[in-house]
Amino acid sequence: MVPHLTTALTGPLLGLEQKILDSMPEIEHWFRTQWQEHTPPFYCSVDLRNAGFKLAPVDTNLFPGGFNNLNAAFLPLCVQAVMIAIEKICPDARNLLLIPENHTRNTFYLQNVVQLSTILRQTGLNVRIGSLNPEIREPTRIDLPGGQQLLLEPLVRSNGRLTIEGFDPCAILLNNDLSSGIPEILGNLHEQFLLPPLQAGWAVRRKSNHFAAYDEVAANFSKLVGIDPWLINPAFAICGEVNFQERQGEECLASNVDFLLREITTKYLEYGIEETPFVIVKADAGTYGMGIMTVKDASEVRGLNRKQRNRMAVVKEGLEVTQVIIQEGVPTFESINEAIAEPVVYMIDHFVVGGFYRVHTGRGRDESLNAPGMHFVPLAFEDCCTLPDLTCRAGTAPNRFYAYGVIARLALLAAALELERTLPAE
Amino acid sequence: MVPHLTTALTGPLLGLEQKILDSMPEIEHWFRTQWQEHTPPFYCSVDLRNAGFKLAPVDTNLFPGGFNNLNAAFLPLCVQAVMIAIEKICPDARNLLLIPENHTRNTFYLQNVVQLSTILRQTGLNVRIGSLNPEIREPTRIDLPGGQQLLLEPLVRSNGRLTIEGFDPCAILLNNDLSSGIPEILGNLHEQFLLPPLQAGWAVRRKSNHFAAYDEVAANFSKLVGIDPWLINPAFAICGEVNFQERQGEECLASNVDFLLREITTKYLEYGIEETPFVIVKADAGTYGMGIMTVKDASEVRGLNRKQRNRMAVVKEGLEVTQVIIQEGVPTFESINEAIAEPVVYMIDHFVVGGFYRVHTGRGRDESLNAPGMHFVPLAFEDCCTLPDLTCRAGTAPNRFYAYGVIARLALLAAALELERTLPAE
């Protein structure tokens, strides 16, 4: 059973959804031609914010960690999509090595690893799980709630290849975002496919590259469908030389915050939106919502106190923040019984395979829902996002899910462009 | 709700299923390499017979007519598979013309056409339905039970292309098996994709070509998995010069029937099977189970009476029978509450997308279940055939469905080979 979503069903969003529905054949044709030219990452999840007047991606994750949150009914869809991805990338593969994050005590995350390996195995691949965690020195069995088990094995470098004792994989799938840097053991692999490529890891990746590519994708798409690109695109700016501890870059931050807030105010006036503009300040590299601030006035980023500075200075795995992205805040208007809900769309290859809502009671609708200490309840989509009902009006469930899937695929396409452009020179 | 299947769960079949499960990675790898070399038909359905000791395809249909019988839960799987097919064949396509069978009063069939066009439209294609039926001289709306509607439109040849008034398609999908010959209007199309190709139609196609290709596929697969190919392959023979009305070819028929029955008897002895061997005599070209006989002794095909001869002499659309295929009969051991059940597996591109059982009360387990006047009840598979549970023993539902999917894909691969080999010289 899926609770009813009390989304604001008035204003420009219905118009946007209707435009998307009306243009479905053009949109799908356009995506087909885009995927002829660009290679999607192996998998991807996209956090969307639905503001009623605006539907936009706010975060694109190339190491999705919530496969266990998807509706089990769409497992066959995941399996079929992985089959396609493997056929395209490494049809001759028999053995696949999955490398998860290092945290061995996060049960939710480990259930994701179980689910992901189940999907991969259903395509007929032999799958084993190799850990970068130095504490895993021998095969380690982890028991999970519900009787599931996970076997983590130590990685062994052998003849220029990454292996596990007795297991030489053709393909290596990272579910580890490399926040702590690129481990030496992953470098210069001999005839092994690494998915996604190293530049997808946070040791190299920058959100600003992603959203610059998204600007382009959103502009092209908006022209196709005949909408203002702002309706699907959060504005952003970057500050390149920030050191929160040393109070460097404060002025750059403040002036960019101010610029963006003015831009948003103009748009709110244009569309008659009676909301208070805000921006999100976050690290340009890194994930897990550490180092994130909601800002409604430039003065708030001047003279941060020690606690605030400490919080902003580092993200996951101690990665230091030196570059900051300031992104237009998109308030969420979706809620389930008073609780804020943020859709997360999952894709494998270029196919939407499901998603879920992050349902969170303790947060405001102008805050990030992916933050440390945040306890969300995942609510699987009842719908697979690919079956719009053109005989119904915009705003009905299959049509809203289709719109989610379209916007998420735009972010996926931006990720494809981003990875192309950040490919290191040989 | 899906009734329990009282399949015989002993004997060699469990062994066969277990072999298939144990070899799943090898099987999927093998299929991947096969599909690198061979192009699957756009879609296909395969009738299987499950004899307990043997699981084999008995009919491979390149114009499947039961999409309405599939489990609605697997609709997303169909849509995703069509997306892949379109991307491979004609990524630039926007408009698709669907050509159904001519019978405009068969409600079950027309519901299939509705379902098929729904699947196609969900991929973002503009779909219209053009009829070869000369009675359709203007756009004709047909009302179906449940409020569904179908618009049949007359075909127009224009500048070497097949069109509908105001609709110029890039791709044409046949759901008409061309039993009555290749209509002139389909010849020499200018830059339009015809799916499947003309040689898939019964005007050209021969079952014997298909089963000759299947012999090869089954032999390779059996070597891979380590089984006797007979366990998945019905033996067959052909008689090329038969005229039932004129009593020509009776001797060829009788000697081949005799030969096959002996072969089956030997195999039954080898495996300790206490069944009466039988063969199915049917037209080498044609469908719909007309012109089909169950034969347990060669004497039965000698001196057929007038009624029997008339019944065998023609198949659908008056197509005359001149070549006959004699196929090893595979009794069905699957039943639902005393009724005989025959699995039909549906595929799009090279993906299994579901299936259903033909459940029939009035027939014996050694008779064809696809015969004129036959009223079967379709029972959608509860499972998508792609999610075997390797932790369970053979014979459980997901594993049996997986075995169905594997054998059906072997027939699909045989169809791919058959279409390659029957491609007309330019």
mmCIF file of all heavy atoms in Angstrom, chain B residues 354-374:
data_model
loop_
_atom_site.group_PDB
_atom_site.id
_atom_site.type_symbol
_atom_site.label_atom_id
_atom_site.label_comp_id
_atom_site.label_asym_id
_atom_site.label_seq_id
_atom_site.Cartn_x
_atom_site.Cartn_y
_atom_site.Cartn_z
ATOM 1 N N GLY B 354 7.310 -12.751 -20.343
ATOM 2 C CA GLY B 354 6.153 -13.345 -19.674
ATOM 3 C C GLY B 354 5.627 -14.529 -20.461
ATOM 4 O O GLY B 354 6.311 -15.062 -21.344
ATOM 5 N N GLY B 355 4.421 -14.919 -20.142
ATOM 6 C CA GLY B 355 3.820 -16.051 -20.832
ATOM 7 C C GLY B 355 2.509 -16.413 -20.178
ATOM 8 O O GLY B 355 2.047 -15.730 -19.258
ATOM 9 N N PHE B 356 1.903 -17.462 -20.687
ATOM 10 C CA PHE B 356 0.656 -17.932 -20.076
ATOM 11 C C PHE B 356 0.487 -19.420 -20.362
ATOM 12 O O PHE B 356 1.187 -19.981 -21.206
ATOM 13 C CB PHE B 356 -0.559 -17.125 -20.585
ATOM 14 C CG PHE B 356 -0.768 -17.167 -22.083
ATOM 15 C CD1 PHE B 356 -1.561 -18.162 -22.668
ATOM 16 C CD2 PHE B 356 -0.190 -16.213 -22.907
ATOM 17 C CE1 PHE B 356 -1.754 -18.202 -24.038
ATOM 18 C CE2 PHE B 356 -0.378 -16.253 -24.294
ATOM 19 C CZ PHE B 356 -1.164 -17.246 -24.850
ATOM 20 N N TYR B 357 -0.395 -20.035 -19.606
ATOM 21 C CA TYR B 357 -0.769 -21.417 -19.890
ATOM 22 C C TYR B 357 -2.032 -21.426 -20.728
ATOM 23 O O TYR B 357 -2.979 -20.693 -20.430
ATOM 24 C CB TYR B 357 -1.049 -22.187 -18.605
ATOM 25 C CG TYR B 357 0.181 -22.500 -17.795
ATOM 26 C CD1 TYR B 357 0.528 -21.718 -16.708
ATOM 27 C CD2 TYR B 357 0.991 -23.578 -18.128
ATOM 28 C CE1 TYR B 357 1.664 -22.005 -15.959
ATOM 29 C CE2 TYR B 357 2.117 -23.875 -17.388
ATOM 30 C CZ TYR B 357 2.445 -23.081 -16.307
ATOM 31 O OH TYR B 357 3.572 -23.374 -15.570
ATOM 32 N N ARG B 358 -2.051 -22.282 -21.742
ATOM 33 C CA ARG B 358 -3.313 -22.618 -22.400
ATOM 34 C C ARG B 358 -3.937 -23.744 -21.587
ATOM 35 O O ARG B 358 -3.387 -24.848 -21.537
ATOM 36 C CB ARG B 358 -3.084 -23.138 -23.815
ATOM 37 C CG ARG B 358 -2.711 -22.088 -24.792
ATOM 38 C CD ARG B 358 -3.100 -22.518 -26.218
ATOM 39 N NE ARG B 358 -2.526 -21.556 -27.147
ATOM 40 C CZ ARG B 358 -1.358 -21.721 -27.754
ATOM 41 N NH1 ARG B 358 -0.666 -22.830 -27.584
ATOM 42 N NH2 ARG B 358 -0.899 -20.780 -28.549
ATOM 43 N N VAL B 359 -5.014 -23.445 -20.933
ATOM 44 C CA VAL B 359 -5.651 -24.454 -20.097
ATOM 45 C C VAL B 359 -6.896 -24.945 -20.819
ATOM 46 O O VAL B 359 -7.770 -24.160 -21.191
ATOM 47 C CB VAL B 359 -6.037 -23.872 -18.722
ATOM 48 C CG1 VAL B 359 -6.643 -24.964 -17.847
ATOM 49 C CG2 VAL B 359 -4.827 -23.261 -18.041
ATOM 50 N N HIS B 360 -6.953 -26.254 -21.027
ATOM 51 C CA HIS B 360 -7.990 -26.797 -21.885
ATOM 52 C C HIS B 360 -8.554 -28.062 -21.275
ATOM 53 O O HIS B 360 -7.834 -29.000 -20.987
ATOM 54 C CB HIS B 360 -7.382 -27.104 -23.252
ATOM 55 C CG HIS B 360 -8.402 -27.468 -24.257
ATOM 56 N ND1 HIS B 360 -9.079 -26.522 -24.983
ATOM 57 C CD2 HIS B 360 -8.874 -28.656 -24.644
ATOM 58 C CE1 HIS B 360 -9.928 -27.130 -25.781
ATOM 59 N NE2 HIS B 360 -9.834 -28.428 -25.589
ATOM 60 N N THR B 361 -9.854 -28.092 -21.103
ATOM 61 C CA THR B 361 -10.462 -29.254 -20.446
ATOM 62 C C THR B 361 -10.836 -30.370 -21.408
ATOM 63 O O THR B 361 -10.832 -31.530 -21.059
ATOM 64 C CB THR B 361 -11.730 -28.848 -19.663
ATOM 65 O OG1 THR B 361 -12.502 -27.994 -20.495
ATOM 66 C CG2 THR B 361 -11.363 -28.138 -18.385
ATOM 67 N N GLY B 362 -11.147 -30.035 -22.638
ATOM 68 C CA GLY B 362 -11.717 -31.042 -23.532
ATOM 69 C C GLY B 362 -10.721 -31.859 -24.328
ATOM 70 O O GLY B 362 -11.119 -32.615 -25.212
ATOM 71 N N ARG B 363 -9.442 -31.742 -24.031
ATOM 72 C CA ARG B 363 -8.458 -32.407 -24.878
ATOM 73 C C ARG B 363 -7.587 -33.376 -24.101
ATOM 74 O O ARG B 363 -7.360 -33.221 -22.904
ATOM 75 C CB ARG B 363 -7.541 -31.359 -25.516
ATOM 76 C CG ARG B 363 -8.252 -30.406 -26.430
ATOM 77 C CD ARG B 363 -7.582 -30.311 -27.773
ATOM 78 N NE ARG B 363 -8.580 -29.933 -28.772
ATOM 79 C CZ ARG B 363 -8.543 -30.314 -30.022
ATOM 80 N NH1 ARG B 363 -7.567 -31.083 -30.442
ATOM 81 N NH2 ARG B 363 -9.479 -29.948 -30.866
ATOM 82 N N GLY B 364 -7.061 -34.348 -24.801
ATOM 83 C CA GLY B 364 -6.152 -35.305 -24.192
ATOM 84 C C GLY B 364 -4.747 -34.734 -24.144
ATOM 85 O O GLY B 364 -4.438 -33.764 -24.817
ATOM 86 N N ARG B 365 -3.888 -35.404 -23.360
ATOM 87 C CA ARG B 365 -2.551 -34.832 -23.211
ATOM 88 C C ARG B 365 -1.621 -35.180 -24.362
ATOM 89 O O ARG B 365 -0.471 -34.775 -24.391
ATOM 90 C CB ARG B 365 -1.949 -35.220 -21.868
ATOM 91 C CG ARG B 365 -1.799 -36.675 -21.615
ATOM 92 C CD ARG B 365 -1.629 -36.930 -20.117
ATOM 93 N NE ARG B 365 -1.479 -38.345 -19.858
ATOM 94 C CZ ARG B 365 -0.338 -39.014 -20.073
ATOM 95 N NH1 ARG B 365 0.715 -38.388 -20.528
ATOM 96 N NH2 ARG B 365 -0.265 -40.300 -19.834
ATOM 97 N N ASP B 366 -2.146 -35.931 -25.339
ATOM 98 C CA ASP B 366 -1.355 -36.205 -26.531
ATOM 99 C C ASP B 366 -1.930 -35.485 -27.749
ATOM 100 O O ASP B 366 -1.651 -35.815 -28.881
ATOM 101 C CB ASP B 366 -1.263 -37.716 -26.788
ATOM 102 C CG ASP B 366 -2.636 -38.360 -26.936
ATOM 103 O OD1 ASP B 366 -3.652 -37.625 -26.834
ATOM 104 O OD2 ASP B 366 -2.688 -39.576 -27.148
ATOM 105 N N GLU B 367 -2.767 -34.486 -27.513
ATOM 106 C CA GLU B 367 -3.341 -33.760 -28.641
ATOM 107 C C GLU B 367 -2.757 -32.357 -28.716
ATOM 108 O O GLU B 367 -2.254 -31.818 -27.724
ATOM 109 C CB GLU B 367 -4.863 -33.671 -28.482
ATOM 110 C CG GLU B 367 -5.550 -34.997 -28.776
ATOM 111 C CD GLU B 367 -7.055 -34.863 -28.622
ATOM 112 O OE1 GLU B 367 -7.527 -34.871 -27.474
ATOM 113 O OE2 GLU B 367 -7.735 -34.745 -29.646
ATOM 114 N N SER B 368 -2.861 -31.776 -29.890
ATOM 115 C CA SER B 368 -2.448 -30.389 -30.030
ATOM 116 C C SER B 368 -3.454 -29.525 -29.300
ATOM 117 O O SER B 368 -4.658 -29.747 -29.382
ATOM 118 C CB SER B 368 -2.413 -29.986 -31.497
ATOM 119 O OG SER B 368 -2.270 -28.595 -31.593
ATOM 120 N N LEU B 369 -2.953 -28.546 -28.550
ATOM 121 C CA LEU B 369 -3.873 -27.651 -27.839
ATOM 122 C C LEU B 369 -4.140 -26.387 -28.642
ATOM 123 O O LEU B 369 -4.848 -25.503 -28.208
ATOM 124 C CB LEU B 369 -3.309 -27.295 -26.466
ATOM 125 C CG LEU B 369 -3.067 -28.480 -25.528
ATOM 126 C CD1 LEU B 369 -2.694 -27.979 -24.157
ATOM 127 C CD2 LEU B 369 -4.278 -29.386 -25.453
ATOM 128 N N ASN B 370 -3.535 -26.292 -29.796
ATOM 129 C CA ASN B 370 -3.738 -25.114 -30.622
ATOM 130 C C ASN B 370 -4.419 -25.575 -31.906
ATOM 131 O O ASN B 370 -3.805 -25.755 -32.933
ATOM 132 C CB ASN B 370 -2.389 -24.450 -30.916
ATOM 133 C CG ASN B 370 -2.558 -23.055 -31.482
ATOM 134 O OD1 ASN B 370 -3.674 -22.524 -31.537
ATOM 135 N ND2 ASN B 370 -1.467 -22.466 -31.917
ATOM 136 N N ALA B 371 -5.690 -25.844 -31.821
ATOM 137 C CA ALA B 371 -6.423 -26.434 -32.941
ATOM 138 C C ALA B 371 -7.716 -25.656 -33.149
ATOM 139 O O ALA B 371 -8.178 -24.958 -32.255
ATOM 140 C CB ALA B 371 -6.719 -27.892 -32.629
ATOM 141 N N PRO B 372 -8.322 -25.799 -34.341
ATOM 142 C CA PRO B 372 -9.537 -25.032 -34.609
ATOM 143 C C PRO B 372 -10.643 -25.443 -33.647
ATOM 144 O O PRO B 372 -10.745 -26.604 -33.266
ATOM 145 C CB PRO B 372 -9.895 -25.406 -36.043
ATOM 146 C CG PRO B 372 -9.084 -26.590 -36.397
ATOM 147 C CD PRO B 372 -7.943 -26.667 -35.443
ATOM 148 N N GLY B 373 -11.421 -24.482 -33.239
ATOM 149 C CA GLY B 373 -12.529 -24.779 -32.343
ATOM 150 C C GLY B 373 -12.097 -24.985 -30.913
ATOM 151 O O GLY B 373 -12.897 -25.234 -30.032
ATOM 152 N N MET B 374 -10.797 -24.866 -30.699
ATOM 153 C CA MET B 374 -10.279 -25.089 -29.366
ATOM 154 C C MET B 374 -10.542 -23.873 -28.497
ATOM 155 O O MET B 374 -10.206 -22.759 -28.863
ATOM 156 C CB MET B 374 -8.778 -25.325 -29.513
ATOM 157 C CG MET B 374 -8.082 -25.573 -28.226
ATOM 158 S SD MET B 374 -6.320 -25.221 -28.463
ATOM 159 C CE MET B 374 -6.138 -23.844 -27.358
#
